[in-house]
Amino acid sequence: MAENSAPNPVAPYPVAVIMERVRLADRWGTERWDAKGVVRDPEPPGSGERVIVSDERALQVLFPGFMLKLHPDEAEGYIYNITSPQPKVFVMWRVGEDGMARPALLTVSYHEGARWMDSEENVGGVALPPDLLQWIAEFGAAHYTEEPKKKKRYASSRDKGVGSHRDGPK
């Protein structure tokens, strides 16, 4: 049986997150963490994090074991993301007691990523892997229905409890 490399439109997509720590020569901080990238998960299930780059200036750690899942109620956010000039995977991360930043959640929904940022979480947007674009586009097209435009209703002087300036003083 041949292995299909395209993601299944229903099943989650296994990914690994690359987090990077950069040393700063700054009086306000000594280091900065950020999400650096998201790649297809190369590790077998149950694998732990591993350092992939380490030098005097930067440290990059690969965190395997994440599943990118799509949800029908976020379809509009997926469409907004993939039609933007630079589609992204949004990575929410937290710094542990050991000082290591670890990814907590992932999404490709523009709306969900914005909600995380609004709630002042640590969120990084990294480039969306190109092989995910079609998967997300097909899912979004299947689940997104544009809200029907509501007919505008203008107030009239016949509305109960509403007067017009032409009615004069009451």
Side-chain angles (χ1 to χ4, degrees), residues 82-139:
I82 65 171
T83 57
S84 72
Q86 297 174 339
K88 299 193 178 307
V89 176
F90 297 94
V91 180
M92 181 198 313
W93 52 271
R94 297 192 173 120
V95 177
E97 291 180 14
D98 61 354
M100 174 83 69
R102 288 182 173 76
L105 297 170
L106 307 177
T107 188
V108 290
S109 168
Y110 182 86
H111 297 323
E112 190 169 22
R115 286 191 299 269
W116 292 347
M117 287 182 224
D118 289 346
S119 65
E120 299 183 11
E121 292 285 354
N122 293 315
V123 179
V126 298
L128 179 74
D131 59 330
L132 289 177
L133 198 57
Q134 184 174 349
W135 176 56
I136 297 166
E138 289 172 2
F139 185 90

Side-chain angles (χ1 to χ4, degrees), residues 6 11 18 25 31-32 39 48-49 52 59-60 65-66 74 87 92 104 109 113 122 139 148 161 166:
I18 301 169
E31 63 186 27
R32 179 186 73 234
V39 296
E49 63 201 50
I52 55 175
L59 171 73
Q60 289 184 358
F66 287 90
E74 288 290 337
M92 181 198 313
S109 168
N122 293 315
F139 185 90
R166 290 177 285 170

Side-chain angles (χ1 to χ4, degrees), residues 4-89:
N4 185 357
S5 63
N8 180 319
V10 177
Y13 184 82
V15 294
V17 178
I18 301 169
M19 295 295 296
E20 180 180 57
R21 180 190 69 200
V22 177
R23 298 218 183 267
L24 303 173
D26 192 346
R27 65 180 177 180
W28 290 284
T30 58
E31 63 186 27
R32 179 186 73 234
W33 281 97
D34 206 0
K36 186 71 173 172
V38 171
V39 296
R40 182 182 288 273
D41 193 348
E43 303 295 321
S47 297
E49 63 201 50
R50 67 181 171 96
V51 174
I52 55 175
V53 173
S54 180
D55 60 33
E56 64 279 348
R57 187 182 158 282
L59 171 73
Q60 289 184 358
V61 182
L62 181 73
F63 292 90
F66 287 90
M67 290 291 178
L68 192 54
K69 299 174 186 171
L70 302 181
H71 304 281
D73 59 339
E74 288 290 337
E76 182 181 38
Y78 303 145
I79 298 294
Y80 280 176
N81 186 18
I82 65 171
T83 57
S84 72
Q86 297 174 339
K88 299 193 178 307
V89 176

